[in-house]
Amino acid sequence: MSAHDDEAPRILVVDDEQVIREILADFLSMEGFVVRTAADGSEALVELSRTHYDLVLSDLKMPKMGGLELLGAIQKHTPNVVTVIMTGFGTVETAIDAMKRGAYDYILKPFKVEEVVPTIRRGLEKQRLRAENIRLKEALSLYKVSEAIASSLSLEQVLATVVDTALNEVDADQVQILLQDGHGGFYERVNIANERLGYDIDELSTLDAQTLLAHFDEDRPLRVHGRDTFAFFQEAPENPEPNSLVVTRLRIRGEIIGFLGAISYTRGRRFDEGQRKLLSIVSNRASAAIENARLYEDLQSTFRQTIRGLASAIDKMDRYTAGHSERVAGYAQVLAIKLGLGEEKQEIVRQSALMHDIGKIGCVMNLNKPGKLSQEEYDVFKKHPDFGRDILEPISFLHPLIPGVHLHHERWDGVGYPLGLKGQEIPIIARIISVADTYDAMTSDRAYRKALPHEVAVSEIERCSGSQFDPDVAHPFVEAIEDHRDEKLAKGEIVPE
């Protein structure tokens, strides 16, 4: 970045000749620049590590560390600093080589002091334009980050976007996110180190939430450097020592819900005001997104509890169906995984299977009476998929479950109910639940018969593949259920038949 808006440009003059240093310092100061001097390259690096400079005006030949070595170190540690080389006539080729290595320009000795100023101003103007270009890129990046954060209802995705921004746009070596635990305290939600750092995360310092909480009496984000950072960690850092720290609040309606911290351990790399502002804006966007994600998680939790409660109510209608919905959901999930469905689709399959018999609440009759149902009773029973759809229809967040609940009695050959759909017309969720439901019905006790052995049930599913069931669902189910049973046998959760 360029010089801070409230400061004059800062220039470091490096030359082993004291007279040249003093003349340049006096003249450039009169031109409105803030000037400091150093006698050689190594002394200059110490000064650069202490404070910010916009331009270095350095001699080429110096003891201890010359201009080329200094240039290499600047390019590595503070690449935003403009470098101008001073050299004698006999070393012009070396000065040109320095420009190839990143120097902005060179000045030939002896020189008139007033001739130096235009070169310096051009270099600073170049830096200003470069900084403006960086700010434009940051603005574009910030827009993309804001869009990504605002469009996500996943807490994991929001935090991942924030961390990625802190690592790449703010150039942090370590990023920590502390979140409110709901009991007046904070817990470490994210703690990640940049791979380039070369340290394991447990070797690095951990921010202290209570110290941060006490510090944030003002709206301004925290930005400190060097040993001043130590006060904000749980223990005084040893190796590596932080070089710079920026911490912003995550806040909703005036309440602090967390902190976002970016830490630099790299010598000479200190966070500037622009990076602090960038992190602050990201924090503001993230705060609302984190709150929304948490509310969404609460809604999802309520959603899951509602489904479990309804499924339990169905199963308690008859002692023979106790646990049926949970088992069908388990079998359906195993099959969904076997078929390679994504995690979100797997969850919809599982929830649909839990709810697949919700329509039986509308069938006021004993569906598990001994003996065969009468035609009238069977006609009532066949209405439960429609009843299930009607029960779920007014509840918008349950709409993804309707296809599985409404159509799990359709058949591959088209003679199922309630719509008589055929083949691929039947949603995959319904085809999965159909197989899982039939397997559990056959392997569970009913009032009118005892449970069938696993082998018999599997053979029946194989026999009905292509008629009642989709072959591309039935065959994988048989494989998946065999593996599932083998795992449960190995754990002693079931006994061999």
Side-chain angles (χ1 to χ4, degrees):
M1 303 294 287
S2 64
H4 305 324
D5 295 337
D6 56 350
E7 291 183 0
R10 297 181 59 86
I11 297 175
L12 180 61
V13 176
V14 188
D15 199 301
D16 57 328
E17 295 185 45
Q18 184 176 350
V19 175
I20 292 178
R21 293 199 305 271
E22 291 176 352
I23 291 173
L24 285 170
D26 289 343
F27 187 83
L28 293 174
S29 295
M30 287 189 292
E31 290 291 320
F33 301 114
V34 176
V35 186
R36 298 290 181 270
T37 64
D40 57 48
S42 57
E43 192 176 310
L45 287 180
V46 173
E47 184 63 26
L48 285 166
S49 70
R50 287 176 180 163
T51 190
H52 164 82
Y53 285 92
D54 298 288
L55 184 142
V56 172
L57 179 59
S58 175
D59 191 19
L60 193 59
K61 288 188 174 295
M62 295 178 290
K64 292 187 181 178
M65 179 185 286
L68 287 180
E69 288 180 84
L70 174 60
L71 175 63
I74 290 173
Q75 290 296 306
K76 182 177 181 181
H77 298 295
T78 53
N80 291 326
V81 175
V82 178
T83 308
V84 176
I85 295 294
M86 297 182 289
T87 183
F89 183 77
T91 53
V92 171
E93 289 185 4
T94 310
I96 293 172
D97 182 47
M99 291 180 65
K100 291 178 180 177
R101 299 189 192 189
Y104 168 67
D105 205 345
Y106 69 92
I107 296 169
L108 282 175
K109 290 182 176 180
F111 51 77
K112 292 180 181 179
V113 185
E114 60 269 21
E115 294 173 351
V116 175
V117 175
T119 302
I120 288 176
R121 292 199 185 282
R122 287 197 304 271
L124 291 172
E125 177 64 11
K126 178 188 176 183
Q127 186 206 48
R128 187 191 69 77
L129 292 173
R130 181 169 60 187
E132 187 174 314
N133 187 41
I134 289 171
R135 283 194 292 270
L136 287 172
K137 288 181 179 178
E138 285 177 349
L140 178 60
S141 173
L142 184 59
Y143 172 76
K144 291 179 179 176
V145 167
S146 297
E147 287 288 296
I149 289 173
S151 65
S152 178
L153 282 174
S154 163
L155 182 59
E156 292 296 329
Q157 289 179 7
V158 171
L159 296 179
T161 301
V162 171
V163 168
D164 184 67
T165 303
L167 288 175
N168 296 305
E169 304 300 330
V170 181
D171 204 20
D173 290 323
Q174 180 187 6
V175 179
Q176 290 186 49
I177 297 177
L178 309 178
L179 292 182
Q180 195 179 61
D181 61 10
H183 305 288
F186 294 83
Y187 70 100
E188 184 184 276
R189 184 63 174 77
V190 176
N191 192 356
I192 290 178
N194 200 314
E195 291 182 1
R196 71 181 177 211
L197 192 59
Y199 285 89
D200 292 333
I201 199 66
D202 56 4
E203 299 178 81
L204 302 178
S205 308
T206 301
L207 292 169
D208 182 67
Q210 295 309 312
T211 304
L212 293 172
L213 199 61
H215 172 82
F216 276 100
D217 295 329
E218 306 172 0
D219 284 338
R220 192 173 177 82
L222 168 71
R223 179 169 66 109
V224 291
H225 309 301
R227 299 188 70 84
D228 290 343
T229 63
F230 288 18
F232 299 95
F233 293 98
Q234 291 180 6
E235 297 178 359
E238 294 180 1
N239 185 31
E241 291 186 358
N243 182 58
S244 189
L245 170 67
V246 174
V247 180
T248 60
R249 292 176 297 185
L250 301 168
R251 189 169 58 167
I252 292 291
R253 294 180 294 278
E255 179 188 1
I256 296 176
I257 63 168
F259 299 97
L260 167 61
I263 306 161
S264 171
Y265 293 92
T266 305
R267 184 172 63 85
R269 185 185 291 128
R270 291 185 170 188
F271 299 120
D272 59 30
E273 185 63 21
Q275 289 167 318
R276 172 162 66 176
K277 287 178 181 176
L278 174 62
L279 207 64
S280 180
I281 293 169
V282 169
S283 294
N284 290 338
R285 301 289 192 277
S287 296
I290 288 170
E291 181 73 358
N292 289 339
R294 282 181 157 179
L295 291 171
Y296 184 68
E297 284 186 349
D298 291 344
L299 179 62
Q300 289 292 90
S301 177
T302 303
F303 170 40
R304 287 188 288 269
Q305 291 171 14
T306 300
I307 290 173
R308 281 195 296 269
L310 290 170
S312 177
I314 301 163
D315 288 353
K316 285 179 180 177
M317 290 172 61
D318 192 295
R319 66 187 179 93
Y320 286 103
T321 58
H324 170 67
S325 297
E326 287 282 356
R327 291 193 301 272
V328 173
Y331 298 144
Q333 186 173 21
V334 167
L335 177 52
I337 294 170
K338 178 73 173 179
L339 294 173
L341 301 188
E343 289 185 9
E344 185 176 346
K345 198 78 168 181
Q346 290 173 28
E347 184 61 14
I348 292 174
V349 167
R350 191 188 68 81
Q351 292 169 353
S352 298
L354 270 175
M355 299 287 282
H356 76 283
D357 277 343
I358 184 70
K360 288 182 179 178
I361 290 175
C363 303
V364 187
M365 55 182 288
N366 181 7
L367 299 175
N368 272 301
K369 70 172 190 176
K372 193 175 181 180
L373 295 179
S374 68
Q375 185 59 45
E376 183 182 355
E377 289 171 332
Y378 185 58
D379 289 340
V380 172
F381 169 79
K382 288 173 65 176
K383 292 179 181 179
H384 80 268
D386 286 329
F387 291 156
R389 177 202 57 198
D390 294 343
I391 290 169
L392 299 184
E393 190 66 48
I395 311 171
S396 60
F397 70 86
L398 294 179
H399 282 185
L401 312 189
I402 290 176
V405 171
H406 186 218
L407 304 172
H408 68 278
H409 279 293
E410 300 289 352
R411 288 173 52 111
W412 186 250
D413 57 13
V415 296
Y417 62 89
L419 302 180
L421 300 180
K422 182 177 182 180
Q424 297 288 341
E425 295 173 348
I426 308 167
I428 184 64
I429 295 173
R431 283 178 267 152
I432 288 171
I433 296 173
S434 174
V435 177
D437 183 31
T438 302
Y439 174 80
D440 187 71
M442 288 191 289
T443 55
S444 302
D445 285 337
R446 290 289 188 266
Y448 48 85
R449 60 152 176 80
K450 284 288 187 181
L452 300 175
H454 164 74
E455 289 75 11
V456 174
V458 166
S459 296
E460 186 65 11
I461 287 172
E462 291 276 25
R463 186 183 69 81
C464 295
S465 172
S467 56
Q468 183 175 350
F469 308 118
D470 175 0
D472 292 334
V473 170
H475 297 315
F477 176 79
V478 171
E479 294 175 4
I481 203 66
E482 294 290 0
D483 294 340
H484 182 64
R485 280 177 57 81
D486 289 344
E487 288 178 15
K488 295 180 83 67
L489 282 168
K491 293 177 182 177
E493 296 176 6
I494 59 174
V495 295
E497 295 177 353

